[in-house]
Amino acid sequence: MKRPDAPFRKTSFPSAAMRTERHADGSLWVTPELALADYRPNLPQELAARAAAHPQKTYLAERRGGAEAPWYLASYGEVDQQSRAVAAWLLARGIPAGRSLLILSGNSVMHAVFKYGAMAARLPACPVSVNYALMGGDYGRLKHVIEMVRPAVVFAEQTPAFRAALESVDFGDAALVTDDPSLIAVTQGSGPVVATASVLATPAGTDVDASIASIDPDEASLYMLTSGSTSLPKAVIQTQRMIASNLAQGRQVLGDTAGWSDVMLDWLPWSHVSGAFTKMGTLTSGGTLYIDGGKPLPSMFAESLRNLKEIAPKFYVNVPFGYSMLADALDKDEELRQRFFGNLQLALYGGAGLPQALYNRFQQLAVDTVGERVFFTTGYGATETASGCMAIYFPTEEVGIGLPMPGLTLKLVPDGDRYEVRLKGPMITPGYLGHGEKNRAIFDEDGFWRTGDAAQLHDPADIGKGLKFAGRLAEEFKLSNGTWVAAGRLRASLVEAFAPLLGDFVICGENRERLTALTWPKTPVDDTLRTELSRRLGAFNVGRGASERVEALMLLAEPPRADAHELSDKGTINQRVTLLRRAADVERLESGQPDPRIVRPS
């Protein structure tokens, strides 16, 4: 599909002009000319200020009781009062330094209340993916996190959902806070089990005010977990200064166009930085966030579509697979198209590159519906940068990772035909919990954090056109002949070449003679599809060397499974976990033996 020709809906972005310095070692240092706007590095104070300014305004909304339930609306005043009660309860326990609050709850009003309460009490909070507690087994990842962050309190809101984990895992002396303690079998030697309502009934006095006022902007406030795609997750230390400066970047660059002071709808998990950013970004903008209980999964997307018809936000965020599912739904539902595009001002994708064909399809739907294209943005960031710290906020139709937002300096270190990405600014983590002196190694001699990622300039002669992602250095591997393979970049190329027929790819070939890939068809497999995939694979390989030529694809019926840790909360595939779990498929693919699931180039 060709790119549609129509004007873009009006946007309001600040200047994206950059200062660029080339250093003797060949590195490029790129800094926005625009300075970072002022911000308050104390979110509990920010919440109190918003509650004082408009106590009755809805801050968070959720459906309590399932997808058919009405919205429960929690005001700024209510969230502030309840978080202060949590802080008072935590302060009364006299929790020593070195402990934390573990949050097992999914996205909810109470999740936010306990997180802000922990911040106010100066107790680091660690939100954990609900998958760690809901998938059973030996709870290995949950136990690993408990050992790392040493919780003094565990908040698991929905007792029936988390009962098995709460009764099976040793939380030491941690107090368990949950809706219905009567359902939990308390074992000897464990901490108390306390009702959520009891905690919220705690009166908050001047001790809470004093605690909030004494917050050090550079002390640990959150422990956010890495995805753990190549190893067990690490706990990234996030400070109030990190979080607040990153939120200020987003407001300054995207806030006006996105309408963060208005109404938001979002599903991204708060155990991940992107979802946490939306929750806190809405707070600092004084907006209202509706918590979407759906997800970009076939079994859960219907709830998201229902919510989109009702809420119709100005700003929409999803991962590429979610946009693909949304495009399919928009094709079939005129009412949804009118509601969605009628209010939309800005769309953001993350987690992976957006295929150009999908971008074009989405824009054609917008043009057919409202006569205008919608500005798409994305960016770049990590758990170690609080959230996205680079973004597209300049005219472009190219898929990429954008340019630094105010407050960030980007260092590009030459690495062949690309650059290694390094970052410096107030939104960068001081390191990982428990790593001590080893944290120094994550920074280079100039104080830049080594991201481990690579990028390329869209136009080597014009930095203003932004950058594109060129792979994760940790995902690179060698073929048996010693040839290096940039697996991340190759995967992105395959996604683009096979859109919209195939969803995602896992690259195979480490220490082998040739490259192959596992993939998932988006439609039933028949001879017509196999013929087209064979043709596209042949065309893809033309002119490519051994490091990029894919000799075969295996079409898998079983999608990546979140309960096997193949799929992250944000919907991206953990490549290494998937390769290990599907080792038999990889061996079959590499063997060259006939198999109806295998497609070879024509």
Side-chain angles (χ1 to χ4, degrees):
M1 177 184 292
K2 294 182 179 180
R3 294 180 183 178
D5 185 15
F8 278 98
R9 204 161 248 187
K10 186 179 178 180
T11 58
S12 177
F13 297 134
S15 169
M18 298 286 142
R19 290 191 300 269
T20 303
E21 304 172 11
R22 185 175 293 278
H23 288 245
D25 62 356
S27 65
L28 292 175
W29 293 26
V30 183
T31 307
E33 291 184 358
L34 188 65
L36 179 62
D38 292 337
Y39 59 91
R40 190 199 315 259
N42 187 315
L43 287 180
Q45 284 184 349
E46 189 74 34
L47 175 58
R50 294 290 175 183
H54 37 70
Q56 301 305 317
K57 182 176 182 178
T58 298
Y59 169 31
L60 297 170
E62 66 181 349
R63 295 192 191 275
R64 292 183 171 178
E68 302 298 320
W71 290 103
Y72 170 80
L73 308 179
S75 70
Y76 276 91
E78 179 183 351
V79 173
D80 180 54
Q81 181 273 322
Q82 291 183 335
S83 67
R84 289 170 60 83
V86 171
W89 184 81
L90 293 171
L91 290 169
R93 295 188 66 80
I95 297 170
R99 305 298 294 273
S100 69
L101 168 73
L102 194 72
I103 301 177
L104 289 181
S105 171
N107 297 3
S108 70
V109 172
M110 281 298 107
H111 180 135
V113 163
F114 272 78
K115 181 181 286 184
Y116 292 137
M119 288 181 179
R122 301 179 66 184
L123 180 68
C126 178
V128 176
S129 167
V130 294
N131 292 333
Y132 288 11
L134 296 180
M135 292 178 182
D138 64 356
Y139 299 102
R141 290 201 168 199
L142 180 56
K143 292 176 182 177
H144 168 72
V145 173
I146 292 167
E147 185 177 350
M148 272 197 305
V149 305
R150 300 180 61 231
V153 177
V154 176
F155 174 61
E157 182 177 4
Q158 302 90 0
T159 313
F162 297 106
R163 177 179 177 180
L166 295 177
E167 292 181 343
S168 302
V169 175
D170 182 4
F171 293 96
D173 62 352
L176 305 181
V177 180
T178 191
D179 284 358
D180 189 353
S182 67
L183 298 179
I184 304 297
V186 180
T187 59
Q188 188 173 6
S190 64
V193 183
V194 183
T196 304
S198 176
V199 175
L200 297 180
T202 307
T206 57
D207 57 337
V208 175
D209 295 322
S211 180
I212 292 173
S214 68
I215 290 174
D216 178 351
D218 297 310
E219 69 188 7
S221 186
L222 292 177
Y223 297 140
M224 296 297 289
L225 302 176
T226 60
S227 64
S229 58
T230 58
S231 61
L232 288 171
K234 293 179 287 189
V236 176
I237 299 169
Q238 291 196 350
T239 68
Q240 288 287 309
R241 192 182 308 279
M242 271 183 71
I243 299 164
S245 63
N246 182 240
L247 294 171
Q249 287 183 303
R251 285 197 312 276
Q252 188 173 359
V253 169
L254 303 177
D256 285 346
T257 296
W260 289 347
S261 60
D262 193 10
V263 173
M264 307 270 281
L265 174 71
D266 192 62
W267 64 270
L268 285 164
W270 295 351
S271 57
H272 183 268
V273 289
S274 296
F277 180 98
T278 301
K279 173 184 82 260
M280 295 183 288
T282 304
L283 164 66
T284 58
S285 299
T288 296
L289 172 61
Y290 283 79
I291 300 169
D292 181 6
K295 287 186 178 181
L297 297 171
S299 61
M300 300 183 68
F301 199 57
E303 182 172 351
S304 291
L305 295 176
R306 171 184 168 175
N307 290 335
L308 280 173
K309 279 189 177 181
E310 183 175 343
I311 306 302
K314 294 180 180 178
F315 179 53
Y316 183 71
V317 182
N318 217 321
V319 295
F321 187 68
Y323 275 107
S324 178
M325 296 178 70
L326 177 60
D328 290 342
L330 292 169
D331 263 336
K332 303 171 185 175
D333 190 333
E334 182 177 355
E335 179 189 357
L336 178 63
R337 282 200 306 276
Q338 294 294 337
R339 284 285 294 160
F340 181 72
F341 287 116
N343 207 35
L344 188 66
Q345 295 183 170
L346 184 67
L348 183 148
Y349 61 91
L354 188 71
Q356 196 71 49
L358 177 56
Y359 171 89
N360 295 343
R361 180 187 180 199
F362 193 89
Q363 294 291 18
Q364 188 63 61
L365 286 165
V367 172
D368 291 345
T369 307
V370 295
E372 296 177 307
R373 287 182 286 173
V374 175
F375 194 92
F376 262 86
T377 185
T378 188
Y380 175 83
T383 313
E384 292 86 348
T385 68
S387 186
C389 54
M390 294 175 58
I392 294 176
Y393 55 110
F394 48 89
T396 183
E397 295 182 57
E398 300 290 345
V399 171
I401 60 174
L403 288 168
M405 293 195 286
L408 178 74
T409 299
L410 166 68
K411 182 179 183 180
L412 297 172
V413 180
D415 181 26
D417 65 344
R418 55 189 181 161
Y419 295 94
E420 179 191 346
V421 175
R422 301 182 186 180
L423 306 173
K424 182 193 286 188
M427 66 294 304
I428 306 299
T429 183
Y432 305 103
L433 179 65
H435 281 224
E437 285 298 309
K438 290 191 294 184
N439 280 321
R440 294 192 180 191
I442 70 175
F443 300 97
D444 71 9
E445 65 280 1
D446 295 309
F448 286 82
W449 174 55
R450 306 172 188 266
T451 68
D453 290 333
Q456 292 176 309
L457 298 174
H458 278 299
D459 182 350
D462 185 0
I463 187 69
K465 293 184 178 178
L467 293 99
K468 55 185 176 181
F469 188 68
R472 181 148 184 81
L473 301 178
E475 292 180 352
E476 297 188 352
F477 59 81
K478 286 183 179 181
L479 297 173
S480 59
N481 63 5
T483 300
W484 277 102
V485 176
R489 180 164 52 173
L490 177 59
R491 177 203 152 275
S493 297
L494 287 168
V495 169
E496 179 70 35
F498 285 88
L501 302 177
L502 300 177
D504 210 333
F505 297 80
V506 173
I507 308 301
C508 315
E510 186 169 3
N511 296 321
R512 298 177 184 266
E513 294 182 2
R514 58 185 191 155
L515 290 172
T516 56
L518 306 176
T519 187
W520 290 267
K522 296 174 67 177
T523 58
V525 177
D526 56 21
D527 289 343
T528 300
L529 178 63
R530 290 191 188 91
T531 299
E532 175 60 14
L533 295 178
S534 178
R535 184 195 67 78
R536 290 201 191 189
L537 185 56
F540 178 84
N541 285 338
V542 171
R544 295 180 183 270
S547 64
E548 294 184 316
R549 187 172 57 251
V550 178
E551 302 294 348
L553 303 174
M554 175 170 279
L555 311 180
L556 298 179
E558 182 198 40
R561 289 177 51 184
D563 60 353
H565 304 295
E566 291 181 311
L567 201 64
S568 72
D569 285 351
K570 60 180 180 178
T572 55
I573 295 177
N574 291 335
Q575 302 270 320
R576 216 164 267 287
V577 172
T578 304
L579 286 171
L580 289 172
R581 184 172 178 271
R582 301 176 188 258
D585 290 326
V586 175
E587 288 300 324
R588 184 74 178 178
L589 178 59
E590 299 281 359
S591 70
Q593 298 178 25
D595 190 310
R597 299 174 298 167
I598 296 176
V599 171
R600 304 189 190 279
S602 61

